[in-house]
């Protein structure tokens, strides 16, 4: 089952990590997405330009037709993925099956 939200996140950035937190990347290095083994930072639409739709769903159900921008593995020792703002506000959460989770991120703008 998909969960989603629309937000203009502070700093135009969201963090995807285990519900217990992760090691946030220190720089975006002019990239849209950067990752450590425990946190993925994703750039969003510029905060002043409006909201970004963020959807979290099990991959077997996803077919967006958009561009696959990232595929990687994330440590999830709590077996729960959390999407947060840089101000530590939880936007979305979802249980996952294991302590290592493969994530795919699609973008369209």
């Amino acid at each position: 089952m998909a969960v989603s939200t629309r937000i203009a996140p502070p700093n135009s950035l969201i963090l995807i990590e285990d519900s217990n937190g992760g090691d946030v990347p220190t720089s975006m290095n002019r990239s849209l997405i950067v990752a450590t083994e425990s946190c993925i930072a994703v750039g969003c639409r510029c905060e002043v330009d409006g909201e970004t739709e963020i959807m979290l769903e099990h991959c077997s159900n996803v077919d967006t037709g958009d561009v696959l921008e990232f595929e990687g593995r994330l440590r999830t020792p709590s077996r729960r993925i959390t999407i947060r703002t840089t101000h530590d506000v939880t936007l979305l959460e979802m249980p996952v099956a294991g302590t290592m989770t493969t994530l795919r991120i699609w973008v369209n703008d």
Side-chain angles (χ1 to χ4, degrees):
M1 182 169 104
V3 291
S4 66
T5 189
R6 295 185 65 83
I7 186 174
N11 305 311
S12 305
L13 191 67
I14 58 168
L15 304 173
I16 305 169
E17 54 194 356
D18 181 76
S19 66
N20 292 329
D23 297 320
V24 177
T26 57
S27 172
M28 292 300 289
N29 295 322
R30 298 182 186 255
S31 298
L32 179 62
I33 300 171
V34 293
T36 65
E37 63 181 26
S38 60
C39 181
I40 303 168
V42 182
C44 299
R45 176 176 293 157
C46 185
E47 178 179 3
V48 299
D49 288 340
E51 296 180 328
T52 297
E53 181 177 17
I54 302 162
M55 183 185 336
L56 185 57
E57 185 170 3
H58 292 283
C59 284
S60 61
N61 301 328
V62 175
D63 182 13
T64 68
D66 296 321
V67 176
L68 178 61
E69 188 69 30
F70 175 87
E71 182 170 3
R73 293 179 54 80
L74 184 71
R75 274 189 326 192
T76 52
S78 74
R79 296 178 186 239
R80 196 158 187 84
I81 293 270
T82 301
I83 299 178
R84 295 185 172 110
T85 69
T86 56
H87 292 174
D88 203 28
V89 174
T90 298
L91 302 173
L92 300 170
E93 281 191 312
M94 179 176 280
V96 294
T99 59
M100 288 296 289
T101 302
T102 299
L103 280 123
R104 293 181 185 100
I105 300 173
W106 284 267
V107 299
N108 65 1
D109 191 4

